[in-house]
mmCIF file of all heavy atoms in Angstrom:
data_model
loop_
_atom_site.group_PDB
_atom_site.id
_atom_site.type_symbol
_atom_site.label_atom_id
_atom_site.label_comp_id
_atom_site.label_asym_id
_atom_site.label_seq_id
_atom_site.Cartn_x
_atom_site.Cartn_y
_atom_site.Cartn_z
ATOM 1 N N PRO A 339 111.740 10.317 47.131
ATOM 2 C CA PRO A 339 111.313 9.184 46.299
ATOM 3 C C PRO A 339 110.745 8.028 47.109
ATOM 4 O O PRO A 339 109.974 7.218 46.573
ATOM 5 C CB PRO A 339 112.607 8.782 45.582
ATOM 6 C CG PRO A 339 113.713 9.331 46.421
ATOM 7 C CD PRO A 339 113.179 10.585 47.039
ATOM 8 N N GLU A 340 111.091 7.951 48.392
ATOM 9 C CA GLU A 340 110.546 6.872 49.217
ATOM 10 C C GLU A 340 109.034 7.030 49.438
ATOM 11 O O GLU A 340 108.353 6.072 49.847
ATOM 12 C CB GLU A 340 111.261 6.841 50.575
ATOM 13 C CG GLU A 340 110.887 7.953 51.547
ATOM 14 C CD GLU A 340 111.585 9.290 51.251
ATOM 15 O OE1 GLU A 340 112.351 9.356 50.265
ATOM 16 O OE2 GLU A 340 111.359 10.254 52.011
ATOM 17 N N ALA A 341 108.518 8.237 49.192
ATOM 18 C CA ALA A 341 107.088 8.471 49.395
ATOM 19 C C ALA A 341 106.246 8.053 48.200
ATOM 20 O O ALA A 341 105.014 8.008 48.301
ATOM 21 C CB ALA A 341 106.848 9.948 49.703
ATOM 22 N N LEU A 342 106.881 7.755 47.088
ATOM 23 C CA LEU A 342 106.131 7.343 45.907
ATOM 24 C C LEU A 342 105.540 5.958 46.136
ATOM 25 O O LEU A 342 106.122 5.124 46.837
ATOM 26 C CB LEU A 342 107.047 7.337 44.676
ATOM 27 C CG LEU A 342 107.651 8.697 44.300
ATOM 28 C CD1 LEU A 342 108.597 8.554 43.130
ATOM 29 C CD2 LEU A 342 106.556 9.704 43.977
ATOM 30 N N PRO A 343 104.385 5.696 45.575
ATOM 31 C CA PRO A 343 103.735 4.402 45.826
ATOM 32 C C PRO A 343 104.553 3.231 45.285
ATOM 33 O O PRO A 343 105.085 3.283 44.166
ATOM 34 C CB PRO A 343 102.392 4.533 45.092
ATOM 35 C CG PRO A 343 102.610 5.598 44.075
ATOM 36 C CD PRO A 343 103.593 6.548 44.672
ATOM 37 N N VAL A 344 104.684 2.195 46.094
ATOM 38 C CA VAL A 344 105.400 0.983 45.698
ATOM 39 C C VAL A 344 104.550 -0.220 46.090
ATOM 40 O O VAL A 344 103.665 -0.135 46.939
ATOM 41 C CB VAL A 344 106.781 0.891 46.387
ATOM 42 C CG1 VAL A 344 107.695 2.007 45.925
ATOM 43 C CG2 VAL A 344 106.635 0.897 47.898
ATOM 44 N N THR A 345 104.825 -1.324 45.455
ATOM 45 C CA THR A 345 104.144 -2.577 45.780
ATOM 46 C C THR A 345 105.110 -3.489 46.521
ATOM 47 O O THR A 345 106.200 -3.797 46.018
ATOM 48 C CB THR A 345 103.629 -3.274 44.509
ATOM 49 O OG1 THR A 345 102.732 -2.385 43.820
ATOM 50 C CG2 THR A 345 102.909 -4.566 44.847
ATOM 51 N N ARG A 346 104.766 -3.888 47.701
ATOM 52 C CA ARG A 346 105.611 -4.756 48.512
ATOM 53 C C ARG A 346 105.131 -6.198 48.381
ATOM 54 O O ARG A 346 103.940 -6.485 48.462
ATOM 55 C CB ARG A 346 105.566 -4.329 49.981
ATOM 56 C CG ARG A 346 106.178 -2.958 50.235
ATOM 57 C CD ARG A 346 106.071 -2.592 51.709
ATOM 58 N NE ARG A 346 106.772 -1.355 52.015
ATOM 59 C CZ ARG A 346 106.249 -0.142 51.857
ATOM 60 N NH1 ARG A 346 105.013 -0.029 51.414
ATOM 61 N NH2 ARG A 346 106.958 0.941 52.155
ATOM 62 N N VAL A 347 106.091 -7.098 48.225
ATOM 63 C CA VAL A 347 105.797 -8.521 48.136
ATOM 64 C C VAL A 347 106.657 -9.249 49.168
ATOM 65 O O VAL A 347 107.886 -9.120 49.176
ATOM 66 C CB VAL A 347 106.075 -9.086 46.728
ATOM 67 C CG1 VAL A 347 105.786 -10.572 46.679
ATOM 68 C CG2 VAL A 347 105.248 -8.335 45.689
ATOM 69 N N ALA A 348 106.047 -9.969 50.065
ATOM 70 C CA ALA A 348 106.779 -10.740 51.085
ATOM 71 C C ALA A 348 106.870 -12.188 50.638
ATOM 72 O O ALA A 348 105.862 -12.834 50.351
ATOM 73 C CB ALA A 348 106.053 -10.641 52.424
ATOM 74 N N MET A 349 108.087 -12.707 50.523
ATOM 75 C CA MET A 349 108.313 -14.086 50.072
ATOM 76 C C MET A 349 108.852 -14.907 51.240
ATOM 77 O O MET A 349 109.846 -14.539 51.874
ATOM 78 C CB MET A 349 109.318 -14.109 48.921
ATOM 79 C CG MET A 349 108.850 -13.294 47.704
ATOM 80 S SD MET A 349 110.000 -13.358 46.331
ATOM 81 C CE MET A 349 109.944 -15.098 45.923
ATOM 82 N N GLU A 350 108.203 -15.990 51.550
ATOM 83 C CA GLU A 350 108.639 -16.853 52.624
ATOM 84 C C GLU A 350 109.883 -17.649 52.192
ATOM 85 O O GLU A 350 109.998 -18.066 51.035
ATOM 86 C CB GLU A 350 107.526 -17.805 53.022
ATOM 87 C CG GLU A 350 106.296 -17.106 53.598
ATOM 88 C CD GLU A 350 105.251 -18.100 54.011
ATOM 89 O OE1 GLU A 350 105.489 -19.314 53.790
ATOM 90 O OE2 GLU A 350 104.202 -17.665 54.519
ATOM 91 N N GLY A 351 110.810 -17.818 53.123
ATOM 92 C CA GLY A 351 112.032 -18.565 52.786
ATOM 93 C C GLY A 351 111.763 -20.037 52.585
ATOM 94 O O GLY A 351 110.854 -20.632 53.168
ATOM 95 N N ARG A 352 112.570 -20.719 51.726
ATOM 96 C CA ARG A 352 112.403 -22.146 51.456
ATOM 97 C C ARG A 352 113.021 -22.977 52.572
ATOM 98 O O ARG A 352 113.995 -22.574 53.205
ATOM 99 C CB ARG A 352 113.037 -22.495 50.126
ATOM 100 C CG ARG A 352 112.379 -21.844 48.932
ATOM 101 C CD ARG A 352 113.001 -22.309 47.633
ATOM 102 N NE ARG A 352 112.345 -21.721 46.479
ATOM 103 C CZ ARG A 352 112.660 -21.998 45.225
ATOM 104 N NH1 ARG A 352 113.656 -22.853 44.973
ATOM 105 N NH2 ARG A 352 112.018 -21.431 44.236
ATOM 106 N N SER A 353 112.516 -24.135 52.772
ATOM 107 C CA SER A 353 113.056 -25.041 53.793
ATOM 108 C C SER A 353 114.369 -25.649 53.335
ATOM 109 O O SER A 353 114.640 -25.777 52.138
ATOM 110 C CB SER A 353 112.034 -26.167 54.080
ATOM 111 O OG SER A 353 111.831 -26.935 52.908
#
Side-chain angles (χ1 to χ4, degrees):
E340 74 281 1
L342 298 177
V344 295
T345 302
R346 294 179 174 84
V347 179
M349 300 182 64
E350 296 182 357
R352 295 184 178 183
S353 63

